[in-house]
Every structure is written in C-alpha cells, then in structure tokens.
Amino acid sequence: MSLPARLRTVRARLTLWYTAVFGGLLLLLGGTAFILLDRGLRTNLDDSLASVARAVAASSEAGPANLADTLESMLGPEAAERFFQLLDPFGRPDPRLGARGRWTFPLSRSALRNGEEGRETFESIRPPGTSGGEVRLLTFPVIEGGRVVHFVQVAASLDRVDQALARFLRVMRSLVPLALAGAALGGWFLAGRALSPVDAMVAAARRISAEDLSLRIASENRDDELGRLAGVLNDMLGRLERSFATAREFSADAAHELRTPLTILKGELELALHTAALEPQAREALESCLEEVNRLAALVEDLLFLAVADADAVSLQRAPVDIAALAQEVEPALQVLAERAGVTLAINAAAPTVIRGSEPLLLRVLFNLAENGIKYAGAGQRVEIAVRPDAGNGLLEVRDSGPGIAPEERERIFDRFYRADPGRPRSGTGLGLPLVRSIVRLHGGEIRLRSEPGRETCFQVRLPLADLPA
Ligand code: ADP
C-alpha cells in the first residue's frame, strides 16, 4: 500500500516516527506506573490489614467487648462488622464475637497450614454468597503456648484499589491522545524547522538551470550535514559550469574555425559553377556541394550566434521595429512555403506593434516559428500567425493544427540539436528554437509553448513594447 503524497515527505515520516516512538514510551511508562501503583496500593492494604490483625490479636485476650471496641476504633463501625472474623483453631466462627462479622470467610487449606506453622496468609477472594468485588483477606494465627488458640481474619474490600486503578486508567486514556497530538504537532514543527534549509536548498537548486550555472546554493556558512551537502552540491555545480563553459568554448571555437574555410569553399564553388565549362553531371555534383556548404555555413553562423549570446557578448543594434508590419512583409514568402507544404496560412497583424530591437533577429524569430508550424503541421492543416499589443507587450502567436508536442519534449525542444520524433521531416538542424529563445531573451522577452498533442501547437512570444513619444 502506498502512502499519500503528503505523507511521503521526510517531514511527515519524521513526525510519524517521532510520534510512534513517543507513544511507545508513553505506553511503557504508563504500564509501569500502573503496575507499580497496583502493587503499592495492595502492599499498603496488606500492611494496614496486618497492623489491624496484630492489634486485634493483642486485644483478643481481653474479651470480645474490648475486641469489638478496638475494631470499631480501627475500622469504623460498619467495616468492623463486615470485615472481621474470629475463628477457633479448626476454622469455625468463634462464638465470643456473637453476631458481629456478617460474613464468614472460609478458612483455606493453605491458611490453616500456614497458621499451624505460625505464619499469616494473605488472599484475594470474593466473599461467598455476595455479588460484590474482591476482598483482601488476612488470616492471622494467634499462638499461645506453641499452639494456635484461634485465628483472626481481617478483610478489606479491594474496591478502593480497583477504583484508584480505574481512575488512573481514565486519566491515562484522556491524557495519552492529548500527549500524542502534542508530540505530533511538536514533531511536525521541529522536523519542519530542521528541514527548512533543505527546502531553501531545493528552491535554490531549482533556480539553477543549464543557462545559469553561476548561481550557488546558499548554506549560511553552516558547519553541519546540510552545510556539507550544500558545499558538495556547489562543488559539483562548479565542475558542471566549467564543463559547460568548455563545451561552449569548443563549439564557439569550432564554429569560428570553420567559418573561414567554408566561406572560401563557397566562393570557390560559386566561381567554378559560374565560370567553368562543366559536364552536366559534374555541375549537378557541384551544385549539390554548394547547397550543403550553404547549409553548413548557416549552421555555423547559428552556432556562433548562440556562443556569443551565451557569453552575453551580443551587441544589439536596437531600433523601433513594428513586428506586425514585419509579419505582413514576410507573408508572401511564407505563403509560398505554405502552399508548397499544402498548408493554409492566415496572418492577422493589423494593429501596429512596435518594440525596440534588431529587425533581422526579430525576423528570424518570426520566420523560424512560422516555418516550423508549416513544416510540422503537415498537408491539409492550418497555421495562424497573430501579432498584436497585449498588456504592455508585443504578442506574437504562431498556432498550428499539427501533431502537437508531447509534454516531456516541451522543454527539450529548446535544447541545441534536439529534434523530437525522428519520424518527422528531417530538414532542419535542431538549432531553430534555441536560437529563437536566445533572441527573445536578448530582447528582454519570453517564449511560451502550449500544445495539445494531436490537436494543436501554439508558440507565444512576448516582447516589451517600445516607449514611443506620444
Ligand atoms: P528543427 O530544425 O528540427 O526544426 P527546431 O529547433 O526548430 O529544429 O525544433 C526542434 C524540434 O521541435 C523539431 O525537431 C520538432 O520536433 C519540434 N517542433 C518545433 N516546432 C514544432 C511544431 N510547430 N509542431 C510540432 N513539433 C515542433
């Protein structure tokens, strides 16, 4: 059986453990106290029975009247009647006491035997013929000249002991749940306090992403387990940051190194295609080479841009750009793409939406998103582009009725070279969306993705509107 999610936290488990251990200890203590109380009360009762019996034995020689007085003064008139008995050495009621002693307690064999040996006997019995509770009975032999002359029996009700024990149990029954509730609350509070640095660390660790590995987990210079954990995590983040930086530097360096030879290659190929008299087959091969070189060069440019953006070294040439006008401008080119793909394209960009930014980069955002929509929606589907001002932002929405993007891919598609579902069209590099996100962030905006697999995908870009003079 699995626990509900709330109870699976360390805090809840600590609280449960704490309460369970506390409850166990409470039961152990309560049980011990109960046993000790029971013993103490019985010992007290036995002691008082013994002192009564001795007094009775001492005064029994003086005659029954004296005996009765002694008893009354010790036990009170009622108890003296109920719980006292004088027996002859054979266990028969002693006639000297007359009508006193309402009940006759049987003289047990062990009491008789003990008596003959001069020893007293304590027994817990139920008075015969009554429905009352148990009584404690002391049979005390009175010995003269080495033989038992009679037995003194003194009894006391165990009701008081039972009542005291019952009261103790009642108190325990009402206190234990209260104490347990207090322990659970206290445990919850203490566990929360002890674990609060962990929550802070989790929140800090969440803020750290691949894009911002320079953040560190604050440990408030703690010299405890949590401080050490924060230290280890921070060391690990340091190593991660260094290795990410190395990978970025590598891709930046590689792109940089590739740029020149690719430019030369491109130039040579173009020259050859324009000037040389070529066999049709050779021309075809060269054209195909040129196409691939162009693709490679574009990829290298994108990589370089991303590397520069990573290093926060992009110098944006900002100017007011109306992205609604931009969308209308690229509409013909996009319509050609859409037609080729059998997709219906609609652009809704009537309201001027001016932001401050770099026109070529913003064009790239618009084009990449629209191209993806057209490419992945597939023939017979619809792509809608909408541009409008929205609550201080310029809003660009590219919506398509294509296959959608699975929830587990929604973050990954912004990773470099990541391409979802390999069954989909292969043209493309996997750099389009990372580039779009990088450009949007450079402009102080954000990109969001909503998608219902099998129904639609919608990329939403928000960019702060320019403050234009009124
Ligand atoms: P690519 O060059 O592969 O298009 P992108 O970075 O532009 O690279 O996109 C990354 C992946 O995201 C794509 O391979 C595709 O699987 C997925 N994707 C992007 N846009 C859409 C869309 N509109 N509908 C479905 N999948 C998309």
Side-chain angles (χ1 to χ4, degrees), residues 221-396:
N221 296 327
R222 303 169 68 103
D223 193 22
D224 55 11
E225 293 86 341
L226 295 178
R228 287 199 291 280
L229 178 62
V232 170
L233 286 177
N234 282 339
D235 286 349
M236 198 179 74
L237 282 170
R239 286 197 297 278
L240 259 181
E241 190 185 9
R242 278 194 296 281
S243 72
F244 263 73
T246 312
R248 277 178 189 155
E249 274 161 29
F250 173 78
S251 72
D253 290 350
H256 201 79
E257 290 301 319
L258 284 170
R259 204 182 197 183
T260 321
L262 277 175
T263 315
I264 296 171
L265 206 56
K266 190 176 161 190
E268 299 278 348
L269 282 170
E270 281 169 348
L271 191 70
L273 280 168
H274 274 104
T275 54
L278 295 165
E279 294 286 317
Q281 245 176 344
R283 174 168 292 278
E284 212 172 283
L286 281 188
E287 274 168 355
S288 158
C289 280
L290 182 61
E291 213 172 276
E292 288 306 311
V293 166
N294 278 334
R295 224 172 78 83
L296 256 179
L299 196 142
V300 161
E301 286 309 318
D302 287 353
L303 266 183
L304 258 180
F305 178 85
L306 285 170
V308 176
D310 284 343
D312 281 334
V314 177
S315 59
L316 265 190
Q317 306 290 322
R318 283 176 188 262
V321 181
D322 181 357
I323 45 175
L326 213 58
Q328 286 157 3
E329 240 171 73
V330 289
E331 183 170 3
L334 288 176
Q335 285 292 4
V336 172
L337 278 184
E339 236 163 75
R340 252 188 242 151
V343 170
T344 320
L345 174 73
I347 296 189
N348 184 353
T353 309
V354 182
I355 63 160
R356 279 184 63 78
S358 146
E359 188 173 309
L361 291 183
L362 292 168
L363 191 67
R364 194 73 200 271
V365 169
L366 185 65
F367 205 85
N368 274 9
L369 291 179
E371 195 190 17
N372 271 355
I374 293 168
K375 190 161 67 175
Y376 295 110
Q381 300 300 327
R382 246 184 101 72
V383 173
E384 284 168 20
I385 299 174
V387 183
R388 62 172 185 278
D390 180 69
N393 287 310
L395 177 67
L396 160 67

Side-chain angles (χ1 to χ4, degrees), residues 368-369 372-373 375-377 400 403-405 409 413 415 418-421 424-425 427-434 457 459:
N368 274 9
L369 291 179
N372 271 355
K375 190 161 67 175
Y376 295 110
D400 71 70
I405 297 169
E409 311 226 277
I413 55 167
D415 289 345
Y418 183 79
R419 312 197 64 214
D421 190 355
R424 294 190 196 170
S427 71
T429 57
L431 285 181
L433 287 178
T457 304
F459 284 92

